[in-house]
Amino acid sequence: MNRKIVFIIISLLISISAFSQSKGKWVTGGALSADYRDDGYYIEAAPKFGYKFKLLEVGIAPFFSYQEVNQDYAYGLQTYCQLTVYENVFIHGEFQAANAYVSSEMNRQWVLGMPLGVGYEREIADNVLVKAALLYDVFYKEGFTPQKNPVVRVGMTYLL
């Protein structure tokens, strides 16, 4: 990975450590993203680890994805930030680095992404939330990124 990605990840981990000194909660869980278009399906799984302080949640999520169109996989790391703006509605932003097959280059390389969007969360049990989000990757470029726009993500979060 390049130095910018390492710097962002380290900065996020330091931020999480600083938040952990306050009265928030550690979170864990995971998310699934899926897409089906004319050229086949795309699916992504990402366990997540983070920290929630009042209306703000930050964390990291390693991920693995598969796309049918070229029968290829991608893997990488996402850092995310989520801010509740009204009751159960949140805005979500993330920065991701994926090692993926780039069809225009005919090889694998590290590709950056920045999905941004909105979502909704609902508590289904004590300290268990289900979340859904609609995201748009502002770095998307045909043939260079593994997922297509928009990205639909559904997941569960457990507050520790």
Side-chain angles (χ1 to χ4, degrees), residues 32-36 41-44 148 150-154:
L32 288 174
S33 300
D35 180 20
Y36 184 80
Y41 65 86
Y42 168 86
I43 189 163
E44 176 184 289
K148 294 182 179 177
V151 177
V152 177
R153 188 171 293 158
V154 177

Side-chain angles (χ1 to χ4, degrees), residues 9-153:
I9 292 169
I10 290 171
S11 298
L12 180 65
L13 292 175
I14 290 169
S15 298
I16 291 172
S17 297
F19 277 119
S20 68
Q21 303 305 315
S22 58
K23 296 199 184 246
K25 291 187 177 191
W26 289 100
V27 298
T28 188
L32 288 174
S33 300
D35 180 20
Y36 184 80
R37 307 270 168 102
D38 295 336
D39 59 355
Y41 65 86
Y42 168 86
I43 189 163
E44 176 184 289
K48 73 176 192 174
F49 311 95
Y51 194 78
K52 184 168 185 159
F53 178 73
K54 296 186 181 182
L55 303 176
L56 178 67
E57 181 181 326
V58 295
I60 59 173
F63 69 91
F64 180 83
S65 67
Y66 178 81
Q67 54 184 318
E68 182 183 35
V69 63
N70 56 6
Q71 297 182 338
D72 194 39
Y73 65 92
Y75 60 89
L77 184 69
Q78 304 164 342
T79 60
Y80 71 91
C81 181
Q82 181 177 299
L83 179 66
T84 302
V85 292
Y86 179 75
E87 294 181 6
N88 296 343
V89 176
F90 59 85
I91 55 174
H92 179 95
E94 62 188 52
F95 180 78
Q96 66 183 13
N99 187 289
Y101 176 78
V102 177
S103 60
S104 60
E105 301 290 323
M106 301 301 288
N107 64 6
R108 295 187 70 78
Q109 64 183 33
W110 285 95
V111 180
L112 303 179
M114 186 177 285
L116 305 173
V118 297
Y120 182 80
E121 65 185 10
R122 178 85 176 178
E123 188 170 8
I124 58 172
D126 286 342
N127 294 326
V128 178
L129 304 170
V130 65
K131 297 182 179 189
L134 181 62
L135 308 172
Y136 182 85
D137 187 353
V138 296
F139 288 174
Y140 175 78
K141 186 175 179 186
E142 184 70 37
F144 279 89
T145 53
Q147 78 258 5
K148 294 182 179 177
N149 282 323
V151 177
V152 177
R153 188 171 293 158

